Amino acid sequence: MRKYGVSIVVILLILFATIFCVKNIWEILILYRTECVVLRHFKDGSNPLKYKAAHFILENMSYQHSYSADDLRNFEEAYIFMAKNAKEFRDSVITKEMNNLSFKKKWLRKYSDISNISADYLIKTIDEACDFWLRVNWHKEYNDSIFFNYVLPYRLFDEPISDWREEIKRNFSYLYSPVVYSEKGVQYPAYKECVVNAKVVNSPDALKGKVVQMDRKGAYVTYNFHSDIAVQKLLRFSYNTLLVDVEAIVELNGKKVGTIVVEPANSKYSFRCSRFGTVVDLQKGDNKITVKYVNKPFSLDYMEVAAYEPYYDEKTINYSNSYCQIQNVATKNYVSLDTISSTIGKPITLHKYLPNDKTLNLRLDYQGYPSWKICPMDYANLYLEDYLVNLDTMAIVSKQVKIEVENPDPHYTANTSAYQSKYINQQKWVIIPVGDGMCKIMNKLSGLFWESTVDKNTGKEIIVQNYYSGKATQKWKIVKTGKNPHAQSSTHRRHSRTLHRLHLDFC
């Protein structure tokens, strides 16, 4: 009986090898053992996604490999060197570097993942990927194929195995945080601030035509920034340098809060902006934000203060299925949005409630996590927006022709002005609950919030944008008033959740 049992196992192993394209019996045994350990670990767990993820990785693992050789480090360093150059030059830089290398890929020794990746590593990978996916607010926007293809894989292509998720978590912590942040923010020219041991020079392509040139130890620029409340903000900086490995320090109220990697531009007339930025905790009252020279010269153009707001998806409301009215908490008046073309570009006004006033009934169309577009109840060609992409505080909220987001062509200008074809987020609004049925409404581009005020020219109550300070004129109540026949099907237009089993180049 034992003889037949061994024969059956051998037949199964050969069949297993045929199905999974495994090259030798040794790899079959390793994969079989790995599969047993990993699947057993997740089979009875509380998270069924992890068991599916284990199956997905194991089913694709036999196709994967990495390389090793004494000269592989030169290959990696070529890409690192490329990344330090201005992005406009990177193609030519990497081509030159590859041509200079003395080895070819065929000389590299290939190692199969089956032989070199342990069950413990796979378990750790699956735990980290699934825990991250279920933690972030935006995961409900996508079906499972996005997770399996772009979040779960333990590497991109055939690079050496590494613990890259920890590195990502350290350097891009905002990806793991329940927050929403703006694409841009209010911009403050450096030359107008306190400049020490540096000089202000003309630069025609700078935000206001001048920059601060920092080229020595002891050089710094200090911004005096007042905040009405204690709040987190995201700081970005616009700068210019032609050098590589340039750094600057960011301090808040005398304490270091971050380091700027000042990346090179393609000329002395062009500027780059920090990739993500530095998250800072501003105190209520006055704050001093300082940018200090560290090692090599660069020019500082401006500091941008963007929004960085806590956002919890489970607290949000689906407004898509109903017409809504938006009432200001302080004045009790309602946002009015007509369809008259002559009022395009004019400030949005607030009116007292009248039962027959249809301009108070609005449609809120969901645009994907975490934004909405706001338009008249039966007319979807006009939307509320940050007028003319204005990044200044107290800029008006107006209405403008719909931006055709569905057409990503930057040259697309049908029914839109030139500035509209360049931007899309000025027509997107983030609705953030603040308690007791109230909310604050933030523009996804500017990071500024709706505020009710009186227009000095007309005496009418209008909406402007400002930093949020918690006052009643910045708080709003959204009331559902009736079924919206134009609503998209399914909550928040979320995709159906399906599982795709794909054979991937990167696992």
Side-chain angles (χ1 to χ4, degrees):
M1 189 70 179
R2 181 177 178 82
K3 178 180 179 182
Y4 290 116
V6 172
S7 299
I8 291 171
V9 170
V10 171
I11 292 171
L12 289 174
L13 289 175
I14 293 172
L15 179 62
F16 192 78
T18 304
I19 294 172
F20 292 102
C21 304
V22 181
K23 293 180 178 179
N24 55 61
I25 296 297
W26 176 245
E27 287 193 352
I28 297 173
L29 294 171
I30 294 174
L31 181 56
Y32 178 72
R33 180 184 179 280
T34 301
E35 183 179 65
C36 289
V37 173
V38 174
L39 292 180
R40 190 185 306 119
H41 180 84
F42 291 114
K43 185 175 182 180
D44 298 320
S46 59
N47 185 352
L49 179 63
K50 292 185 178 182
Y51 190 64
K52 290 181 182 179
H55 269 290
F56 185 85
I57 281 206
L58 291 166
E59 288 168 6
N60 288 279
M61 191 174 174
S62 57
Y63 302 93
Q64 312 310 319
H65 59 266
S66 59
Y67 293 96
S68 180
D70 293 338
D71 288 334
L72 183 60
R73 184 59 187 167
N74 296 333
F75 190 79
E76 296 172 351
E77 288 177 351
Y79 278 93
I80 294 172
F81 180 73
M82 173 200 71
K84 291 181 178 181
N85 283 265
K87 59 184 179 181
E88 294 85 356
F89 303 144
R90 287 176 185 169
D91 285 345
S92 59
V93 169
I94 193 61
T95 299
K96 181 179 178 181
E97 289 296 307
M98 291 294 103
N99 290 336
N100 288 339
L101 291 178
S102 60
F103 75 96
K104 298 185 182 299
K105 196 171 184 178
K106 66 181 181 181
W107 297 341
L108 297 176
R109 184 180 302 171
K110 184 186 290 188
Y111 290 92
S112 72
D113 286 1
I114 293 172
S115 301
N116 287 276
I117 296 182
S118 68
D120 288 342
Y121 179 86
L122 292 181
I123 289 170
K124 182 174 183 290
T125 289
I126 293 166
D127 276 332
E128 290 176 345
C130 292
D131 291 346
F132 166 76
W133 182 249
L134 295 177
R135 178 179 178 180
V136 296
N137 288 333
W138 43 264
H139 82 269
K140 296 176 184 177
E141 297 291 321
Y142 303 97
N143 59 40
D144 282 341
S145 66
I146 297 297
F147 168 73
F148 286 102
N149 291 312
Y150 299 105
V151 178
L152 176 62
Y154 48 78
R155 69 153 108 73
L156 292 177
F157 189 49
D158 57 10
E159 71 275 14
I161 297 299
S162 66
D163 197 15
W164 61 268
R165 293 182 196 274
E166 284 299 320
E167 191 72 19
I168 293 293
K169 193 172 183 178
R170 250 191 326 271
N171 291 285
F172 304 97
S173 58
Y174 63 92
L175 292 174
Y176 292 77
S177 303
V179 297
V180 59
Y181 49 89
S182 58
E183 179 186 349
K184 293 185 177 294
V186 182
Q187 295 170 347
Y188 299 90
Y191 79 91
K192 290 186 176 182
E193 307 301 323
C194 176
V195 178
V196 177
N197 291 329
K199 56 184 178 181
V200 175
V201 297
N202 292 326
S203 183
D205 293 314
L207 179 67
K208 297 296 183 181
K210 293 182 179 181
V211 297
V212 176
Q213 198 173 77
M214 297 207 279
D215 57 6
R216 67 194 71 183
K217 289 185 177 181
Y220 63 87
V221 175
T222 295
Y223 292 83
N224 292 300
F225 188 89
H226 182 84
S227 179
D228 291 334
I229 57 174
V231 65
Q232 283 191 314
K233 290 292 182 183
L234 179 60
L235 305 183
R236 303 188 186 104
F237 298 90
S238 175
Y239 51 74
N240 172 272
T241 187
L242 299 178
L243 306 175
V244 299
D245 297 325
V246 182
E247 292 185 350
I249 286 175
V250 182
E251 292 182 350
L252 174 63
N253 299 322
K255 295 182 180 180
K256 180 182 176 180
V257 291
T259 299
I260 308 171
V261 177
V262 184
E263 299 181 88
N266 64 341
S267 79
K268 65 179 180 180
Y269 302 108
S270 60
F271 292 86
R272 296 198 62 177
C273 194
S274 356
R275 293 201 178 193
F276 176 70
T278 303
V279 178
V280 296
D281 295 300
L282 298 179
Q283 64 188 18
K284 181 179 179 180
D286 293 329
N287 295 268
K288 291 187 180 296
I289 302 167
T290 302
V291 181
K292 288 186 173 182
Y293 172 95
V294 173
N295 59 346
K296 295 181 181 180
F298 69 97
S299 297
L300 185 62
D301 183 9
Y302 62 80
M303 176 181 74
E304 181 175 83
V305 181
Y308 189 84
E309 291 287 324
Y311 187 88
Y312 301 97
D313 187 58
E314 64 273 11
K315 294 183 179 180
T316 61
I317 298 172
N318 179 19
Y319 299 106
S320 298
N321 297 325
S322 305
Y323 290 132
C324 297
Q325 295 177 346
I326 304 178
Q327 182 188 40
N328 186 261
V329 170
T331 67
K332 309 302 181 186
N333 292 327
Y334 292 81
V335 176
S336 172
L337 184 53
D338 60 47
T339 59
I340 302 172
S341 59
S342 62
T343 58
I344 290 177
K346 305 290 185 179
I348 295 299
T349 57
L350 281 75
H351 296 174
K352 292 186 180 299
Y353 176 77
L354 292 174
N356 296 324
D357 187 352
K358 291 188 176 181
T359 68
L360 306 185
N361 293 331
L362 309 175
R363 273 175 56 186
L364 276 67
D365 292 341
Y366 189 66
Q367 299 298 302
Y369 176 81
S371 304
W372 302 81
K373 283 193 171 186
I374 303 174
C375 66
M377 61 182 291
D378 292 319
Y379 190 75
N381 198 40
L382 289 173
Y383 284 101
L384 294 186
E385 73 166 22
D386 166 22
Y387 184 56
L388 293 179
V389 198
N390 196 322
L391 299 177
D392 296 329
T393 56
M394 303 307 289
I396 66 169
V397 173
S398 185
K399 67 181 181 186
Q400 188 52 271
V401 175
K402 174 185 178 182
I403 298 176
E404 299 293 345
V405 181
E406 294 81 5
N407 190 333
D409 183 355
H411 303 294
Y412 182 80
T413 55
N415 297 322
T416 63
S417 61
Y419 86 92
Q420 282 181 297
S421 67
K422 292 177 62 179
Y423 301 96
I424 58 174
N425 281 333
Q426 81 269 23
Q427 288 189 346
K428 292 182 180 180
W429 304 93
V430 182
I431 300 171
I432 304 175
V434 295
D436 296 326
M438 299 178 291
C439 64
K440 53 186 178 181
I441 302 176
M442 183 192 88
N443 186 259
K444 189 67 172 69
L445 179 81
S446 70
L448 297 174
F449 295 82
W450 282 15
E451 180 177 319
S452 167
T453 191
V454 175
D455 190 326
K456 295 180 180 179
N457 297 320
T458 64
K460 295 179 180 180
E461 184 181 354
I462 63 172
I463 305 175
V464 295
Q465 299 177 88
N466 204 353
Y467 288 121
Y468 185 75
S469 61
K471 53 189 177 183
T473 53
Q474 295 180 326
K475 296 178 180 179
W476 306 84
K477 287 188 175 181
I478 302 178
V479 181
K480 297 182 179 182
T481 60
K483 187 175 181 180
N484 173 16
H486 310 286
Q488 300 282 343
S489 61
S490 81
T491 303
H492 287 16
R493 288 172 55 190
R494 285 172 178 162
H495 304 287
S496 61
R497 299 181 61 78
T498 57
L499 171 61
H500 294 271
R501 291 174 56 184
L502 303 176
H503 293 306
L504 306 175
D505 287 338
F506 50 20
C507 185

